[in-house]
Amino acid sequence: MKRSTVKELFASTAQEQKVLVKGWVRNRRGSKNVAFVALNDGTTLQNLQIVVDFALMGEDTMNNITVGCSISVEGILKASAGSGQSMEVVAEKLEVLGLADAEKYPLQPKKHSLEFLRENAHLRFRTNTFGAITRIRHAMIFAIHSFFNERGFYNIHTPIVTASDAEGAGEMFQVTTFDLDHLPRTESGEINYKLDFFGRKTNLTVSGQLEAELAALAMGSVYTFGPTFRAENSNTTRHLAEFWMIEPEVAFNDLNDNMDLAESMLKYVIRYALDHCMEDLEFLSKRLQEEEQSKKAEDRSMELIEKLQFVADNDFVRLPYTEAIDILKNSKPNKNKKFDYLIEEWGADLQSEHERYLVEKHFKKPVILIDYPAAIKAFYMRMNEDGKTVRAMDILFPGIGEIVGGSQREERLEVLLEKMKAMHIPEEEMWWFLDTRRFGSVPHSGYGLGFERLMLFVTGMGNIRDVIPFPRAPKQAEF
Ligand code: ATP
Ligand code: MN
C-alpha cells in the first residue's frame, strides 16, 4: 500500500477508505481501552489523530507508543466524532518503527522556549513553530526563483571561495589548507601564500555581486542566490556569520528600475506566502500575539497577517538620504537624546535605531532610502552629479531595519578608477572587474536581499537564529 501524507489526507474528501500513514508521535492521551495518538509527518501543521484499540494491539506495542517515537499505521480514515479534528484514522495495524525513551526525549508536549530549542536544533524541526518556519522558508525560496524566472532572469552560481577582498562588505573568513602551527614564510618573514592551496590568499565570499555583474553584462538579467559569509563579531538578532543572499543584477537598469524591481519582488514573495502558507502564518501569528501580551500596548507590533497584507498592498516611500537626515535631526528621540547615536550632521551613517524610527514611527511604511553620501558606501556605486552622493538604495522594513542594500553601479571607467584609488582598492587585483568597464560598459544596477531578514519579516520571528535551520554565529557552530 502506498503511504499517504497527512496533508493529502486532510485535503481529500474520500472517507471510510483504507490508508497507510507514517510519522512521529507528538502526543498521546486516552483511556484504559483506547489511545488517541497525535501523529505528525511534517507535511502540515495539523496532527492526524490515530485511534488505537488496546485489545487489537497487544501490550508491548501499546507501551512503546510514546511521545517522539515513529510509527507506521494502517487503518480506516473516518470523519472524527471528537472535537478538535475533522478526521481520524482508526488503526487496524500499527508498528512502532523507532522507539523514543520517554524519560530522555527532550521535546515534551508543552511549550519550550526558543533558547531551549536553539540548543536542541537537531530536534526542533519536530515542533510546530519550526515546522511552520521550515515550510515557509521553502515556499519563499521557491517564490524567489519563480519571480525571477517569470521575468527572464538567469540564475548564476557565483563562487564561494574568492580571492578578492576588495568589496569591503564585511569581515571575512579565510580559507586555507595551511597547518596553522607551521606556516611557510618568505625570506622576509611573511606568510607565503604562494604555497597555499590556491596559490594565494583566499576567503569565503561576502557577496556574489562582482561576479554577477560580469554575467549581467552579457546575459542581461541575472541573479544569484547563495550562501554568504561574514565574520561579523556583532551578536545581534539580525546578523549571522553564514546567511543566504539573493542578488539580482540587471544591465541597462537605472536606480529607479532597480527600486521597482526590488519593491515588486518583495511584494510578490509576501503575496506568495499569504496565498500558500496561511495555515502556518496563522499559527505563527497566534504565537506572536501571545508573546506580545507581555509588552506595553504602544510597543506591540501589528498583527502578522495584517502587516504582510499592508506591505504587499502599499507603495514604499522613496526618500533621499539628505531628507532622512533632516527628519531624524528634528525627531523627538534625537532631541531628547534617546538615540544611542545622535544624528548631528549630514554624512552620518544610519544605525538600525534610525532606520526603524523612519519606518515604524515616522512613515509607518517600508522606506527606500537613496542617494547616500559616497563616503559611507562601497566604491562601485554610481556617483551623482553633485559629486557627493551615490546612487545607493537601502530598503528599510518595520521590525528589521535594512532588508535590502543595492545601487546603480559606476559604469564609467575613469570615475571608477579614481574612486578606487581614493578608497585604496588595488586596481591590479580587480582587473577582471574593470574589464567590463573597458569593453562594452553599460549602465546597470542590482541589490542584495538577505534571505533570513526576509524570513524574519514574513514569520514575525524576533531572532535571525530562529529562521535558519542551523545558525552560524560567534561561538556557535554546533550541529
Ligand atoms: P547591516 O548594516 O544590517 O549589517 P550591510 O549594510 O552590511 O547590513 P549589505 O552588505 O548591503 O548589508 O548586504 C545586503 C543585505 O544582506 C542586507 O540588506 C541584509 O539583508 C543582508 N545581510 C547583511 N549582513 C548580514 C548578516 N550578517 N546576516 C544576515 N543578513 C545579512
Ligand atoms: Mn553588515
Side-chain angles (χ1 to χ4, degrees):
M1 203 176 177
K2 190 178 165 291
R3 174 174 82 95
S4 301
T5 65
V6 173
K7 186 180 177 179
E8 286 163 358
L9 294 186
F10 278 120
S12 80
T13 46
Q15 301 247 324
E16 299 283 331
Q17 57 164 334
K18 197 157 173 171
V19 296
L20 170 66
V21 281
K22 300 181 186 188
W24 293 265
V25 171
R26 284 285 178 87
N27 201 357
R28 171 187 172 161
R29 55 191 183 82
S31 64
K32 239 162 100 200
N33 305 320
V34 267
F36 298 102
V37 173
L39 174 122
N40 191 285
D41 69 356
T43 56
T44 159
L45 186 74
Q46 297 179 68
N47 297 326
L48 179 65
Q49 173 156 289
I50 313 290
V51 184
V52 197
D53 190 334
F54 274 59
L56 240 122
M57 299 301 161
E59 185 142 352
D60 279 357
T61 303
M62 290 317 295
N63 288 340
N64 287 341
I65 305 174
T66 58
V67 173
C69 80
S70 47
I71 57 174
S72 168
V73 183
E74 255 183 75
I76 306 294
L77 180 70
K78 286 196 170 141
S80 174
S83 63
Q85 68 277 324
S86 54
M87 285 185 203
E88 61 191 17
V89 168
V90 178
E92 290 177 343
K93 263 206 282 192
L94 188 152
E95 190 189 339
V96 175
L97 300 172
L99 296 170
D101 186 330
E103 303 266 291
K104 293 191 183 135
Y105 187 58
L107 298 181
Q108 295 306 315
K110 61 160 196 173
K111 204 173 155 117
H112 294 287
S113 73
L114 293 169
E115 292 75 24
F116 174 83
L117 293 178
R118 243 170 264 150
E119 286 157 17
N120 288 279
H122 59 308
L123 293 172
R124 66 180 178 169
F125 290 111
R126 298 184 185 195
T127 63
N128 284 334
T129 303
F130 283 88
I133 289 166
T134 305
R135 282 183 295 270
I136 294 172
R137 194 176 159 106
H138 168 81
M140 292 298 88
I141 294 167
F142 187 80
I144 285 161
H145 284 299
S146 304
F147 174 85
F148 287 116
N149 185 52
E150 284 169 16
R151 281 157 189 76
F153 282 65
Y154 299 110
N155 179 236
I156 306 293
H157 286 149
T158 46
I160 292 168
V161 176
T162 66
S164 76
D165 60 358
E167 222 244 333
E171 291 297 308
M172 297 191 284
F173 292 100
Q174 197 177 332
V175 176
T176 179
T177 50
F178 277 159
D179 173 354
L180 298 185
D181 293 325
H182 303 95
L183 292 170
R185 305 255 167 199
T186 59
E187 267 166 30
S188 55
E190 278 147 17
I191 296 168
N192 187 356
Y193 283 107
K194 289 214 172 80
L195 299 177
D196 203 354
F197 188 90
F198 295 105
R200 59 198 301 172
K201 197 172 171 184
T202 50
N203 302 293
L204 294 178
T205 183
V206 292
S207 160
Q209 178 198 320
L210 301 186
E211 288 92 350
E213 283 191 46
L214 310 182
L217 266 68
M219 309 299 293
S221 303
V222 304
Y223 71 107
T224 73
F225 189 164
T228 309
F229 306 86
R230 295 188 186 178
E232 316 241 22
N233 211 352
S234 49
N235 250 310
T236 79
T237 53
R238 298 171 305 106
H239 289 92
L240 290 164
E242 177 180 298
F243 63 102
W244 289 72
M245 185 141 70
I246 295 104
E247 296 177 275
E249 194 67 40
V250 185
F252 317 111
N253 265 10
D254 65 14
L255 191 69
N256 281 318
D257 303 323
N258 205 30
M259 286 193 275
D260 290 344
L261 180 70
E263 183 168 341
S264 56
M265 174 202 64
L266 287 164
K267 287 177 171 172
Y268 178 101
V269 300
I270 289 167
R271 273 195 206 106
Y272 191 92
L274 289 167
D275 290 344
H276 294 87
C277 308
M278 202 38 113
E279 182 179 84
D280 289 321
L281 288 175
E282 277 170 352
F283 170 80
L284 291 174
S285 167
K286 253 190 232 132
R287 178 181 175 286
L288 199 65
Q289 278 172 304
E290 278 164 28
E291 246 176 35
E292 299 263 300
Q293 290 304 317
S294 60
K295 292 188 188 165
K296 278 188 285 176
E298 69 261 32
D299 292 337
R300 287 184 201 150
S301 53
M302 204 192 266
E303 188 275 327
L304 178 63
I305 292 160
E306 204 184 317
K307 183 183 79 178
L308 296 178
Q309 246 137 15
F310 180 83
V311 170
D313 293 343
N314 287 284
D315 287 344
F316 298 180
V317 174
R318 299 181 179 191
L319 183 80
Y321 166 92
T322 303
E323 287 176 37
I325 286 291
D326 284 340
I327 294 170
L328 288 167
K329 248 205 234 156
N330 296 317
S331 70
K332 261 198 196 152
N334 202 56
K335 288 185 165 157
N336 301 340
K337 307 208 180 331
K338 287 273 154 55
F339 283 143
D340 290 337
Y341 296 84
L342 294 179
I343 298 289
E344 267 146 17
E345 58 193 50
W346 192 91
D349 203 354
L350 300 187
Q351 306 295 324
S352 159
E353 56 180 347
H354 309 126
E355 298 173 343
R356 293 185 57 174
Y357 173 84
L358 290 170
V359 172
E360 291 161 30
K361 297 282 189 305
H362 191 83
F363 290 107
K364 299 190 186 343
K365 268 184 185 191
V367 174
I368 313 184
L369 278 190
I370 58 167
D371 295 339
Y372 281 77
I376 58 171
K377 288 290 180 188
F379 76 94
Y380 50 70
M381 298 191 180
R382 194 181 199 281
M383 188 59 89
N384 277 318
E385 306 308 314
D386 63 11
K388 284 190 340 191
T389 59
V390 286
R391 305 242 78 193
M393 62 170 220
D394 279 8
I395 303 187
L396 316 178
F397 259 35
I400 292 175
E402 182 188 330
I403 191 164
V404 164
S407 68
Q408 183 172 332
R409 319 304 190 190
E410 184 56 75
E411 84 283 13
R412 299 162 296 184
L413 180 65
E414 308 73 50
V415 183
L416 191 58
L417 285 172
E418 214 171 283
K419 192 79 168 293
M420 287 172 70
K421 201 178 256 165
M423 291 187 160
H424 306 290
I425 292 160
E427 201 186 308
E428 56 292 352
E429 273 180 35
M430 301 294 286
W431 64 273
W432 47 274
F433 181 72
L434 292 167
D435 262 7
T436 54
R437 274 65 171 174
R438 288 194 180 103
F439 309 113
S441 187
V442 297
H444 61 287
S445 300
Y447 60 83
L449 162 71
F451 183 61
E452 285 73 22
R453 298 249 175 115
L454 173 69
M455 281 297 296
L456 278 178
F457 183 72
V458 173
T459 60
M461 299 298 286
N463 191 324
I464 200 161
R465 297 169 199 205
D466 295 333
V467 295
I468 186 166
F470 304 106
R472 295 291 178 260
K475 307 282 178 289
Q476 195 184 9
E478 187 82 57
F479 314 111

